[in-house]
Amino acid sequence: MSSIKVTKAEPFSLRISEIAPDKSISHRCAMFAMLADGTSEIENFLRAEDTLNSLQIVKNLGATVEDDGVVIKISSEGIKESSEVLDCGNSGTGMRLFCGLLSSAEGHFVLTGDEYLRRRPMKRVTAPLRDIGAKLDGRNNGDLAPLSIRGASLRAFNYESKIASAQVKSAMILAALRADGECSYSEPELSRDHTERMLKGMGADIEVDGLTTKIKPMKKLLSPLKIRVPSDPSSAFFFAVAAAITPSSDVVLEGVTLNPTRIEAFEALRKMGADITYETTDNKYEPIGNIHVKHAPLHAITVEDNISWLIDELPALSIAFACADGVSVVKNAEELRVKESDRISTVVRGLRACGIEVEEVHDGYSVKGSKLQSATINSYGDHRIAMSFMIAGLKCGVEVEDVACVNTSFPNFFELLQKITSVEFA
Ligand code: S3P
C-alpha cells in the first residue's frame, strides 16, 4: 500500500475505544523493565513498528519477553552485550533513550535506524552524555547514527538543557540512575514527564521541583512495572480534529492519558472554539480518561508557549487552522524541523497544495483559514504528516502518497478512518 484516497466526510457521532496505545509510554515500558528486579507486566503495549523495534532491542539485550497477545511480560537479568546491531527503525525516542540506558552498561553496542532517523541530530544526547564520561560516537563527530557505545562509568552532573526535550531529559535521567552521585537536570520549559512518573512509581529516587529534576543513583534494582498503557493523545488528536472540522459531528476518545504535558493540543482546539470536555476515569502513574470533542465554528489562535506539550500534534492542529476563521500563527517551534520530517516545511507544502495561504519563518508559520481544495499530498515518509492530510481529506477529498509510515505509530488508523468516510487504497 503506497497511497490512499480519502473522500469528504458526512456528519458522524462516534465513541472510539481503539485509539492506538501511547507510544512514549510503550517505549519506556520496554526499556525500564530492564532496570527491574522481577517481571514487568504490560497490558495494551503499542504494537506498532517504532515500539516493536524497542521491544526487539530489549530482547537483543538479553531480556526474556513473553507475549500472550494481551499482556507482555518482560524480565531481565541485566543488560547483556548483543551480537546484533540494534535497529531503532524510525524512532528518535528509541535511539535517544537507549543512548542513556546503554552508556553505563557493560559491553559494546551499535544503534542504527532507517534513512530518516540516520539524518536526525543525536548530539543533543551524545554531547551531554560524553561530558559525563560516556564513550559514544557516530558520524559527524557523534551527531548522526549509526552510533556506537562502549559502556563506561558515569560522573554525577548538574545539566541545564537549552531545549525542552523529553528525549534528552529521559536519556540523562537513565544515565543518572547509574552515575557516581546525585544528579540534577533542568530544562527551559517542562517537557512530557512520563519518565519521571514511571521511574518514581518503580521506586527510583527522583524529585521534581518545577523545571529541575534531581536523581539519586539506584542502590538496588527497581520494582517491576504493572501497567495498562493508556491510549495515545497524539493519535487520538487526529479524530479530535476530524470532529472539530466536520459540522454536526462529535467523538468520544476513550482511555486516553490526560497527563497535562500531553493534552495541550486539545486545549488549543478548545481555545479555537471546539466544544471539548474531559472525564477522568483512572489514575495509575498518570491521569487517564475520556475526551469528548464536538464540532463548533473555529477561529484563529496564536500558539507560542509550552510548544513541547503539543509539538507532535502541530501538523494535525494546522488542518484545524486551515478550517478556522482568520490567521493562526505558530511561533517558537523550530524543534519541528528535526522531527520525522522537517515538519514546518512539510506542513507548509501540504497546506499550499490544498490551496491554503501559508507563510513560513524559521521557527514557525502562519495559516490563513479558507476553503481546503482537493490535492495529492506527499507525506515525506512522516506518519503524522500522512495522517494529518488524510484528516484534511474529510473536508475536500485528498490522495496521500507514501502512507506505509502510519504503521510506525497507529496501525489501525485506516480502520478507524473508515468509520467516518470511504477510503480507497492504491
Ligand atoms: C517524545 C518526546 C518528544 C516527541 C516524541 C516523543 C518522548 O520529542 O516529539 O514524539 O517519548 O520522549 P522531544 O523530546 O525531542 O521533544
Side-chain angles (χ1 to χ4, degrees), residues 12 230 251:
F12 63 89
V251 67

Side-chain angles (χ1 to χ4, degrees), residues 23-25 27-28 93 96-97 120 124 163-170 191-192 194-195 262 308 311-312 335 339-340 343 384:
K23 183 148 76 83
S24 292
I25 296 176
H27 278 299
R28 285 161 173 80
T93 307
R96 296 190 179 115
L97 270 63
R120 293 179 64 190
R124 53 184 56 205
I163 45 173
S165 161
Q167 295 178 358
V168 178
K169 176 170 62 176
S170 303
S191 61
R192 70 186 64 185
H194 306 298
T195 296
R262 296 295 304 281
S308 73
I311 193 89
D312 291 342
E335 273 297 299
K339 294 293 174 191
E340 286 83 330
R343 285 188 180 152
R384 299 208 195 278

Side-chain angles (χ1 to χ4, degrees), residues 257-328:
T257 172
L258 300 180
N259 179 325
T261 63
R262 296 295 304 281
I263 55 168
E264 187 70 5
F266 293 88
E267 285 300 282
L269 200 54
R270 198 170 57 78
K271 283 185 201 131
M272 293 177 73
D275 179 351
I276 300 192
T277 51
Y278 306 94
E279 179 201 4
T280 304
T281 54
D282 199 1
N283 200 326
K284 177 90 198 275
Y285 302 102
E286 38 194 84
I288 296 165
N290 304 330
I291 307 178
H292 190 183
V293 183
K294 274 193 213 162
H295 169 267
L298 300 179
H299 52 80
I301 56 165
T302 292
V303 178
E304 56 188 334
D305 298 321
N306 283 331
I307 289 292
S308 73
W309 292 13
L310 47 58
I311 193 89
D312 291 342
E313 295 80 24
L314 277 170
L317 189 61
S318 303
I319 304 304
F321 293 162
C323 300
D325 188 21
V327 179
S328 293

